[in-house]
């Protein structure tokens, strides 16, 4: 395995590992540490471009008060510490891709991702929370064709893609405001669409956007919302906007950037035969094993009598799952329970 290629974004990766971890939230990250302590290598896949799950995506600056030994720690800081704790074991992170398929192959598991990767693993730890994070999509006719061509996007990977282009930016939060301010420097024209004059963005950024609009550098379409897309189904030529009263106007555009936040959806996990109930996977409490041998579920997605959806409980499940998986990875090898103080941190 190509170990230690942190945050890898290449697609079409083929890799073999001991344990495939689905989800790089706090619980998935701690599972990497626990597996590493038992000399099991991990590949971690997440739909998001960054590790951290809910902590990083939803509340990076909010303090958490119930992490043992941290009277107070922000979501983002907790993730940094978990990443550092897992780092000695050089996990391979495959980010920005969703695990789509899971099938048994010769007593092992083979995972396929939306980026065309194939991961073969002796065991799987499903730490998928409430599902894969993805953008909230506007309900517009013909959207998939424009998404596929890159005309409609939900994030900016390269500012240069928008040089000389007419860009419509929809949304009222920090992403919409910050990208409007940034892209006005390279785009031919930027229109910001929002339902109301007030933005949910940092006040100084909102003030800078107002000033840019006053100078004519950005066009504000307020109070408007997205109504439709114009083009040939792939190449975008315009975006139709409407007010709540139904007044419409069309804005010429090459790109639509929709920043309506993130949502989580279980998506393909529901079809893996795990017997989901209310979006949760029932596990055996002592091992976190699901109804499929070698597939262990931990963290928010796992349920059993007495389950609390807390990070600290997910940490303990990670330890139990790793110990339960050990005999699959090292058949016939006795596993003697040891404290970390006794054995230290084995090299990855
Ligand atoms: C505002 C807020 C405050 C909170 N405060 C606290 C608190 O004070 N204390 C506490 O203990 N808990 C708190 N929580 C809950 C806590 O964040 C969750 O319990 C925790 O994040 C669960 O961790 P996890 O690793 O199981 O899942 P998540 O953090 O949900 O991570 C799951 C990851 O899996 C990925 N994923 C899912 N499916 C796939 C797939 N098919 N392919 C690829 N990737 C996939 C997702 O993209 C996601 O990144 C809070 C939650 C919120 C929203």
């Amino acid at each position: 395995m190509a170990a230690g290629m942190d945050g890898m974004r290449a697609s079409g990766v083929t890799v073999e590992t001991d344990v495939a971890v689905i989800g790089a939230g706090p619980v998935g990250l701690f599972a990497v540490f626990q597996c590493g302590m038992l000399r099991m290598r991990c590949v971690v896949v997440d739909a998001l471009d960054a590790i951290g799950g809910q902590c990083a995506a939803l509340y990076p600056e909010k303090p958490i008060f119930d992490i043992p030994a941290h009277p107070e720690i922000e979501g983002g800081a907790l993730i940094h510490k978990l990443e550092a704790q897992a780092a000695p074991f050089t996990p391979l992170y495959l980010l920005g891709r969703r695990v789509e398929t899971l099938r048994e192959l010769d007593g092992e598991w083979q995972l396929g991702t939306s980026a065309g990767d194939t991961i073969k693993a002796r065991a799987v730890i499903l730490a998928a929370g409430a599902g894969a994070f993805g953008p909230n999509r506007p309900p517009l006719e013909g959207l998939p064709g424009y998404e596929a061509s890159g005309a409609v996007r939900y994030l900016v990977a390269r500012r240069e893609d928008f040089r000389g282009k007419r860009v419509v930016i929809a949304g009222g939060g920090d992403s919409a405001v910050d990208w409007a301010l940034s892209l006005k420097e390279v785009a031919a024209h930027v229109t910001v669409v929002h339902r109301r004059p007030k933005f949910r963005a940092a006040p100084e950024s909102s003030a800078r956007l107002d000033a840019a609009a006053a100078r004519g550098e950005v066009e504000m379409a307020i109070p408007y919302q997205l109504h439709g897309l114009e083009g040939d189904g792939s190449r975008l030529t315009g975006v139709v906007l409407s007010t709540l009263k139904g007044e419409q106007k069309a804005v010429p555009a090459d790109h639509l950037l929709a920043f309506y936040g993130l949502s989580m959806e279980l998506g393909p996990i529901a079809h893996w035969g795990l017997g989901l109930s209310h979006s949760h996977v029932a596990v055996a409490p002592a091992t976190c094993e699901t109804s499929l041998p070698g597939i262990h579920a931990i963290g928010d997605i796992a349920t059993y009598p007495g389950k609390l959806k807390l990070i600290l409980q997910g940490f303990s499940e990670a330890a139990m799952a790793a110990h339960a998986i050990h005999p699959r990875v090292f058949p016939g090898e006795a596993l003697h329970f040891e404290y970390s103080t006794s054995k230290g941190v084995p090299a990855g």
Side-chain angles (χ1 to χ4, degrees):
M1 184 178 85
M5 294 156 73
D6 283 354
M8 201 158 118
R9 279 168 185 81
S11 52
V13 175
T14 298
V15 68
E16 264 188 57
T17 189
D18 296 325
V19 183
V21 180
I22 303 174
V27 177
L29 293 176
F30 194 61
V32 174
F33 171 80
Q34 286 294 341
C35 288
M37 290 295 279
L38 301 182
R39 294 183 293 111
M40 298 188 292
R41 300 159 307 154
C42 293
V43 170
V44 187
V45 189
D46 203 295
L48 285 177
D49 273 331
I51 62 167
Q54 294 177 47
C55 297
L58 300 182
Y59 59 102
E61 292 177 351
K62 268 198 178 168
I64 309 173
F65 299 99
D66 55 356
I67 302 297
H70 290 280
E72 183 177 334
I73 184 166
E74 290 182 352
L78 175 67
I79 295 306
H80 287 312
K81 286 188 181 294
L82 288 166
E83 183 185 16
Q85 200 167 13
F89 306 111
T90 57
L92 172 64
Y93 291 109
L94 295 174
L95 302 177
R97 64 206 69 198
R98 195 163 86 158
V99 178
E100 299 287 346
T101 58
L102 175 71
R103 65 190 183 104
E104 198 177 356
L105 198 71
D106 305 329
E108 299 197 342
W109 290 97
Q110 186 170 299
L111 291 71
T113 78
S114 53
D117 314 304
T118 304
I119 303 155
K120 222 172 149 202
R122 302 261 175 84
V124 174
I125 291 186
L126 182 64
F133 274 103
N136 285 320
R137 293 176 157 79
L140 300 174
E141 209 171 297
L143 188 67
Y146 294 103
E147 286 179 345
S149 67
V152 175
R153 301 185 195 187
Y154 307 99
L155 56 84
V156 178
R158 276 180 5 117
R159 198 169 81 129
E160 275 306 301
D161 292 352
F162 301 92
R163 183 170 292 279
K165 305 288 187 189
R166 299 163 301 174
V167 184
V168 171
I169 296 178
D174 283 308
S175 299
V177 171
D178 291 348
W179 280 117
L181 288 169
S182 172
L183 293 182
K184 76 179 175 58
E185 304 299 332
V186 295
H189 191 264
V190 172
T191 306
V192 176
V193 185
H194 189 35
R195 277 174 305 166
R196 49 181 169 267
K198 193 153 172 50
F199 284 80
R200 286 173 286 100
E204 60 272 26
S205 306
S206 293
R208 282 176 57 213
L209 183 63
D210 287 342
R215 289 193 299 271
E217 295 168 6
V218 173
E219 187 181 332
M220 305 294 265
I222 297 171
Y224 278 93
Q225 54 194 15
L226 299 177
H227 184 80
L229 301 170
E230 289 180 335
D232 63 5
S234 167
R235 201 176 69 83
L236 191 69
T237 54
V239 177
V240 182
L241 311 179
S242 68
T243 63
L244 284 179
K245 290 184 192 143
E247 296 148 14
Q248 292 188 6
K249 69 172 177 180
V251 179
D254 304 300
H255 287 286
L256 167 64
L257 283 168
F259 294 120
Y260 292 135
L262 296 168
S263 60
M264 290 176 273
E265 58 166 39
L266 272 186
I269 297 173
H271 310 294
W272 292 347
L274 290 164
L276 255 69
S277 162
H278 301 290
S279 303
H280 293 113
V281 178
V283 297
T287 59
C288 291
E289 194 163 30
T290 67
S291 55
L292 300 178
I295 310 275
H296 297 246
I298 61 175
D300 275 12
I301 198 164
T303 187
Y304 50 85
K307 164 78 181 180
L308 296 174
K309 269 200 199 180
L310 287 175
I311 295 167
L312 72 89
Q313 194 152 9
F315 288 166
S316 146
E317 291 157 10
M320 289 191 296
H323 280 79
I325 287 170
H326 186 270
R328 273 187 95 84
V329 176
F330 301 108
E333 194 178 296
L335 173 59
H336 300 291
F337 177 82
E338 272 182 296
Y339 292 126
S340 66
T341 41
S342 315
K343 68 173 169 185
V345 175

